Amino acid sequence: MARGERRRRAALAEGTRTAERAARSGPGRRDGRGGGARGAAGGVALAVVVLSVALGLSGRWVLIWPRERRAVTLHSAPPALPLDSSRPAVAPDLFWGTYRPHVYFGMKTRSPKPLLTGLMWAQQGTTPGTPKLRHTCEQGDGVGPYGWEFHDGLSFGRQHIQDGALRLTTEFVKRPGGQHGGDWSWRVTVEPQASGTSALSLVSLFFYVVTDGKEVLQPEVGAKGQLKFISGHTSELGDFRLMLLPPTSPGDTAPKYGSYNVFWSSNPGLPLLTEMVKSRLNHWFQHRPPGVSPERYLGLPGSLKWEDRDPSGQGQGQGQFLIQQVTLKVPFSVEFVFESGSAQARGNQAPGQLAGSLLTQALERHAEAFRKRFEKTFQLKEKGLSPGEQVLGQAALSGLLGGIGYFYGQGLVLPDLGMEGSEQKVDPALFPPVPLFTAVPSRSFFPRGFLWDEGFHQLVVQRWDPHLTRETLGHWLGLLNADGWIGREQVLGDEARARVPPEFLVQRAAHANPPTLLLPVAHMLEGGDPADLAFLQKAFPRLHAWFSWLHQSQAGPVPLSYRWRGRDPALPTLLNPKTLPSGLDDYPRASHPSATERHLDLRCWVALGARVLTQLAEQLGEAEVAAELGPLAASLEAEESLDELHWAPELGTFADFGNHTKAVQLKPRPPQGLIRVVGQPPPRLQHVDAMGYVSLFPLLLRLLDPNSSRLGPLLDILADRRHLWSPFGLRSLAASSPFYGQRNSEHDPPYWRGAVWLNVNYLALGALHHYGHLEGPHQARAARLHSELRANVVGNVWQQYQATGFLWEQYSDQDGRGMGCRPFQGWTSLVLLAMAEDY
């Protein structure tokens, strides 16, 4: 999982701010086919280069050569989704959603210039100075556990958030109607964390709405500064109203006294909202309920004078930011209602306001529908899982669905000039502006799209809502460039960019990522849903182009071998240069990177891709492609070829191959710190002794015949406690490896060097289940190992969830504790499919 923030590496970062300014100043190109004939036509290519000019990141004008231009040119194949597929008239049920996964609670429209809403809160008087303002999900802010109890991915959700002595419950429900995405309502309930808790300090909730362009907002103010409602109009939403209703006691309709403050200004930029509100919380006010002693609290300036308002009333085109603060004693509930003008304009059929008892009924109805649909889909109760484990399964699904976001913007791409290992004298270029509808690995740490994560995410989503998976796959395939490349990390828009260090903004067009999107594609093929097949028919040219780029660009030194481009250079501070494009980051590869390397996992991914694309081509009647890829798939799955390139008799397993020695270690050398020392024997071309997840890939991707002579040795390694087996799941690197648990540098702790990861354990469970149902000498053993591994993985994730309230990025192979970032409801949500035995 090439996580920039956690895996530091050298990256071209100079001039990133210049590129961001360029990204905001104008749209990128949306060219069709790029490039042209090479060789004899080289003179023509040189001639046309003068037509392609772009502003380089260093601020100077640089020439964009045809090869470079292809890197930032969108693919010419027809889109897998209609170009207007996100508009409310086309997909009204998906137009509004909790598509801001990095905030604790907020909603936005699926639009390049959306209307955004959100929640902040603060406990007044608990600490000296400005109260802690909660808004964006942060790894170390002390909030938690938090997460969605229910979320159906479409129209309903209920989330619980623990913040010290407080427990917040955020709920929303959407109501269809009209031509602009319908209505929705929120309910936010704040209660003491424990019953019988002594009186808490005042709590302030901040409800806000933000526009990103020329949209109109007009506040209507009542007594005491309370906002009656906000009226507005946008081209996509038409007329609408937003209303903050009077607070009540939880479960009651009697109003509860609240103090109100409001603030209205131009939009400072989405990443700056929190700081703007913090900076304005500098006025003392009195909270004066009747018959109760007043209390002080810090509030926003009590007026609706729009600061820096320009004559046009549009804040210099920046949009508007309007926020209302309500302050009162815990416990209480507050409702926030959005009403679409077109949904309300239905004459005698106009519905009542979705608030109070109507909202309560709607929430209860949706919660019950979720429970019934969940059991019908995954059958956990029928399979004998405990009520607590069923709650875990619901939370795993809901957290994944509640982490779906909608992003729009331009990424930075370093073109592939075909000069690997040499200094590329070219600046990154701006990719065209593109939308992305995707789940995210972690709301707190990775709230953006990651390519190889998303294939695993969609294995879960697809079982619940195939339409959501088609939408997501269509968006990812829309990122294809003219060569067939998709960037592995998508940093689109100001909010996403603000969460990423500048040196990790640039994506390299030579670097691949495991093609896991083909996993849900394979499941679509098996299911045979006509809607899925119709989508795959449209998506096929892009899927084929993506696979062809992977197969060709990552070809290895000999036929049917493959090599991940983009390994880190052999720096003296690194124990083993990382291979971020593989997704397995610091998993040990050949000690001395070279073009002679053959990577086992990549070959297996290409074999899977060739198999899936061949089956898809045959299903869709694409005879020419089937004839092209069929022989490739057969060759890659032939055991003789796999043995020749990757079986290591001296290790008794499959392995990478390259210029390697085990005699490397980090040793202290003041004042430099830890330095890599290479001893004897020196490196030579050989199989890489690094038993772990990579060794298992022919098993994990089910490439071996059930009668294969290699299946038994792989099961031996998998089941051996000295190697991969642990009471908590399969460890990523054998405990017997010299790299096990080793740091990669002084500042780089182990990542894929022993910890238990759910995505690979899920693949292992699927493979063991597969071979446990096929006749062969290892059938009974595979079935037994499946049962034992499933019990270990599910049992530990459940135990850690009970103890912490979180799903985690990885788990310790020593004691099972959750590690890495949390909540991590990306591929760790695969625990649900493991419980359901759905592979």
Side-chain angles (χ1 to χ4, degrees):
M1 180 183 303
R3 312 296 191 205
E5 295 90 334
R6 294 179 59 85
R7 290 294 168 260
R8 312 299 281 177
R9 60 180 173 82
L12 185 55
E14 181 184 359
T16 300
R17 291 182 180 84
T18 305
E20 292 184 45
R21 288 194 295 270
R24 290 191 291 267
S25 67
R29 298 180 179 84
R30 288 186 175 270
D31 302 79
R33 298 183 183 274
R38 310 292 290 179
V44 177
L46 286 173
V48 301
V49 75
V50 297
L51 300 177
S52 306
V53 183
L55 181 61
L57 287 184
S58 58
R60 63 185 184 274
W61 289 94
V62 294
L63 296 178
I64 299 295
W65 298 77
R67 185 165 186 168
E68 297 168 51
R69 184 167 180 172
R70 290 181 65 83
V72 291
T73 298
L74 291 172
H75 201 278
S76 60
L81 296 173
L83 294 177
D84 61 352
S85 63
S86 294
R87 294 184 62 81
V90 178
D93 53 340
L94 288 175
F95 189 57
W96 276 104
T98 52
Y99 302 143
R100 306 178 66 204
H102 65 292
V103 300
Y104 285 110
F105 190 47
M107 291 175 66
K108 67 183 284 190
T109 55
R110 287 208 308 174
S111 172
K113 288 197 173 290
L115 186 71
L116 300 98
T117 57
L119 172 73
M120 305 180 193
W121 75 90
Q123 299 184 53
Q124 296 277 353
T126 55
T127 57
T130 304
K132 291 181 179 178
L133 187 65
R134 310 302 197 184
H135 181 210
T136 57
C137 303
E138 303 294 341
Q139 186 78 1
D141 64 0
V143 176
Y146 63 91
W148 293 98
E149 177 189 8
F150 304 124
H151 199 302
D152 65 3
L154 191 68
S155 58
F156 158 73
R158 177 186 297 158
Q159 177 184 219
H160 300 293
I161 304 169
Q162 294 185 21
D163 183 12
L166 294 181
R167 174 183 170 91
L168 285 79
T169 299
T170 66
E171 301 171 279
F172 79 94
V173 67
K174 290 160 53 179
R175 181 169 62 185
Q179 296 82 47
H180 302 93
D183 304 334
W184 52 257
S185 294
W186 296 358
R187 177 178 289 161
V188 180
T189 301
V190 186
E191 301 171 291
Q193 180 58 41
S195 59
T197 303
S198 58
L200 294 167
S201 301
L202 293 172
V203 171
S204 293
L205 300 184
F206 303 82
F207 295 85
Y208 67 83
V209 57
V210 186
T211 66
D212 199 24
K214 296 183 178 180
E215 301 88 348
V216 175
L217 292 179
Q218 184 60 50
E220 296 291 337
V221 190
K224 302 179 184 178
Q226 181 178 353
L227 211 59
K228 287 183 177 179
F229 58 84
I230 303 167
S231 61
H233 179 90
T234 75
S235 57
E236 289 184 307
L237 288 169
D239 295 327
F240 61 86
R241 291 203 312 176
L242 283 155
M243 286 159 285
L244 184 64
L245 302 183
T248 67
S249 294
D252 199 350
T253 58
K256 192 167 182 178
Y257 185 88
S259 297
Y260 294 88
N261 302 79
V262 290
F263 180 70
W264 188 22
S265 83
S266 57
N267 178 3
L270 297 179
L272 301 177
L273 296 182
T274 307
E275 288 306 315
M276 171 176 264
V277 175
K278 280 183 181 179
S279 70
R280 301 291 176 175
L281 282 177
N282 54 13
H283 290 68
W284 287 105
F285 294 86
Q286 294 285 333
H287 177 64
R288 296 176 175 273
V292 178
S293 299
E295 293 184 63
R296 309 199 303 168
Y297 71 92
L298 282 167
L300 296 169
S303 74
L304 278 172
K305 294 180 180 178
W306 184 2
E307 294 191 357
D308 302 322
R309 184 172 181 175
D310 67 359
S312 68
Q314 299 305 328
Q316 298 178 347
Q318 294 176 315
Q320 302 177 41
F321 175 48
L322 202 158
I323 185 165
Q324 182 167 24
Q325 173 185 358
V326 56
T327 303
L328 67 161
K329 282 281 194 179
V330 172
F332 63 87
S333 291
V334 181
E335 296 174 1
F336 190 50
V337 178
F338 173 90
E339 292 182 341
S340 167
S342 62
Q344 296 294 314
R346 290 182 284 191
N348 294 331
Q349 300 300 315
Q353 188 178 62
L354 189 56
S357 60
L358 274 181
L359 177 57
T360 298
Q361 293 167 17
L363 290 168
E364 291 176 350
R365 187 169 60 250
H366 278 276
E368 182 60 25
F370 178 94
R371 293 187 191 95
K372 289 181 178 179
R373 179 180 171 190
F374 181 85
E375 176 58 25
K376 181 179 180 180
T377 303
F378 300 106
Q379 301 177 339
L380 299 192
K381 182 178 180 180
E382 182 178 318
K383 293 179 185 296
L385 283 103
S386 70
E389 289 170 318
Q390 295 172 47
V391 169
L392 167 63
Q394 292 173 356
L397 172 66
S398 298
L400 179 61
L401 295 172
I404 291 176
Y406 181 84
F407 307 91
Y408 186 88
Q410 292 180 271
L412 285 168
V413 177
L414 188 67
D416 175 18
L417 300 186
M419 300 187 299
E420 186 183 15
S422 61
E423 188 72 18
Q424 293 195 23
K425 303 295 184 181
V426 63
D427 287 322
L430 285 165
F431 203 70
V434 287
L436 180 60
F437 184 65
T438 183
V440 304
S442 170
R443 291 170 61 190
S444 65
F445 215 77
F446 304 115
R448 55 192 175 278
F450 286 81
L451 178 56
W452 99 290
D453 294 61
E454 195 57 27
F456 291 110
H457 298 164
Q458 292 308 314
L459 287 174
V460 180
V461 174
Q462 190 174 43
R463 269 69 169 185
W464 177 255
D465 190 339
H467 176 62
L468 282 178
T469 293
R470 293 192 293 270
E471 283 285 315
T472 302
L473 293 183
H475 273 85
W476 274 99
L477 292 173
L479 305 178
L480 208 68
N481 80 354
D483 292 319
W485 168 83
I486 300 175
R488 57 193 173 89
E489 181 175 350
Q490 296 296 323
V491 188
L492 304 176
D494 290 343
E495 287 190 286
R497 191 161 46 238
R499 307 278 296 213
V500 181
E503 64 267 31
F504 301 109
L505 292 171
V506 179
Q507 300 299 298
R508 286 152 177 76
H511 298 180
N513 221 202
T516 59
L517 296 184
L518 296 176
L519 297 174
V521 167
H523 191 259
M524 287 179 170
L525 273 174
E526 293 171 7
D529 183 336
D532 283 344
L533 295 178
F535 168 79
L536 292 175
Q537 183 82 58
K538 296 177 181 177
F540 181 76
R542 289 177 173 268
L543 288 167
H544 183 213
W546 182 41
F547 171 77
S548 297
W549 175 86
L550 177 71
H551 163 58
Q552 295 165 12
S553 69
Q554 309 297 299
V558 297
L560 299 179
S561 71
Y562 296 87
R563 177 173 63 87
W564 294 110
R565 304 308 196 264
R567 281 199 72 186
D568 282 0
L571 300 176
T573 56
L574 300 180
L575 179 63
N576 187 273
K578 297 188 292 294
T579 312
L580 299 180
S582 72
L584 302 179
D585 292 24
D586 67 342
Y587 188 99
R589 307 285 179 164
S591 61
H592 290 65
S594 71
T596 62
E597 288 182 70
R598 307 196 294 257
H599 293 138
L600 171 63
D601 53 332
L602 178 53
R603 177 192 159 114
C604 292
W605 283 120
V606 175
L608 174 74
R611 175 204 291 172
V612 172
L613 264 294
T614 299
Q615 294 171 347
L616 180 56
E618 292 171 348
Q619 176 78 29
L620 300 178
E622 297 283 351
E624 186 176 336
V625 177
E628 166 202 337
L629 295 182
L632 174 64
S635 298
L636 288 170
E637 293 191 47
E639 191 166 310
E640 305 78 33
S641 169
L642 185 61
D643 273 7
E644 180 183 351
L645 296 179
H646 288 288
W647 182 257
E650 68 278 17
L651 304 177
T653 186
F654 292 104
D656 284 349
F657 183 89
N659 191 27
H660 181 67
T661 178
K662 290 194 297 183
V664 294
Q665 55 184 313
L666 292 176
K667 290 188 174 181
R669 181 175 296 174
Q672 297 100 316
L674 293 179
I675 299 296
R676 181 168 99 152
V677 175
V678 181
Q680 295 296 325
R684 63 180 177 85
L685 292 178
Q686 61 178 318
H687 288 103
V688 178
D689 184 4
M691 189 181 297
Y693 284 168
V694 165
S695 314
L696 298 180
F697 259 83
L699 166 70
L700 297 176
L701 299 187
R702 313 177 197 180
L703 300 177
L704 298 177
D705 186 274
N707 296 301
S708 169
S709 62
R710 305 308 186 199
L711 190 54
L714 291 188
L715 294 178
D716 290 340
I717 292 168
L718 180 151
D720 194 330
R721 292 178 181 271
R722 297 170 302 169
H723 299 316
L724 300 187
W725 192 269
S726 87
F728 316 106
L730 300 181
R731 53 175 66 96
S732 44
L733 190 65
S736 56
S737 170
F739 289 97
Y740 171 76
Q742 294 296 307
R743 305 181 69 86
N744 203 51
S745 74
E746 188 168 357
H747 307 289
D748 200 0
Y751 201 41
W752 293 83
R753 295 185 180 177
V756 174
W757 293 81
L758 258 291
N759 62 330
V760 178
N761 273 268
Y762 175 77
L763 291 178
L765 285 168
L768 293 171
H769 186 269
H770 171 76
Y771 289 110
H773 284 77
L774 293 178
E775 288 190 15
H778 308 290
Q779 181 179 10
R781 188 184 186 197
R784 176 176 56 81
L785 287 173
H786 167 266
S787 178
E788 294 174 1
L789 180 61
R790 176 175 173 269
N792 287 351
V793 170
V794 172
N796 186 61
V797 173
W798 166 227
Q799 184 178 12
Q800 294 303 308
Y801 183 75
Q802 281 183 298
T804 68
F806 285 121
L807 297 183
W808 291 80
E809 183 180 14
Q810 52 181 200
Y811 295 86
S812 168
D813 65 312
Q814 297 294 312
D815 57 18
R817 64 186 169 84
M819 304 192 304
C821 63
R822 82 296 179 271
F824 194 90
Q825 293 187 260
W827 63 38
T828 301
S829 296
L830 287 165
V831 68
L832 169 58
L833 297 189
M835 287 192 284
E837 297 184 76
D838 186 350
Y839 309 109

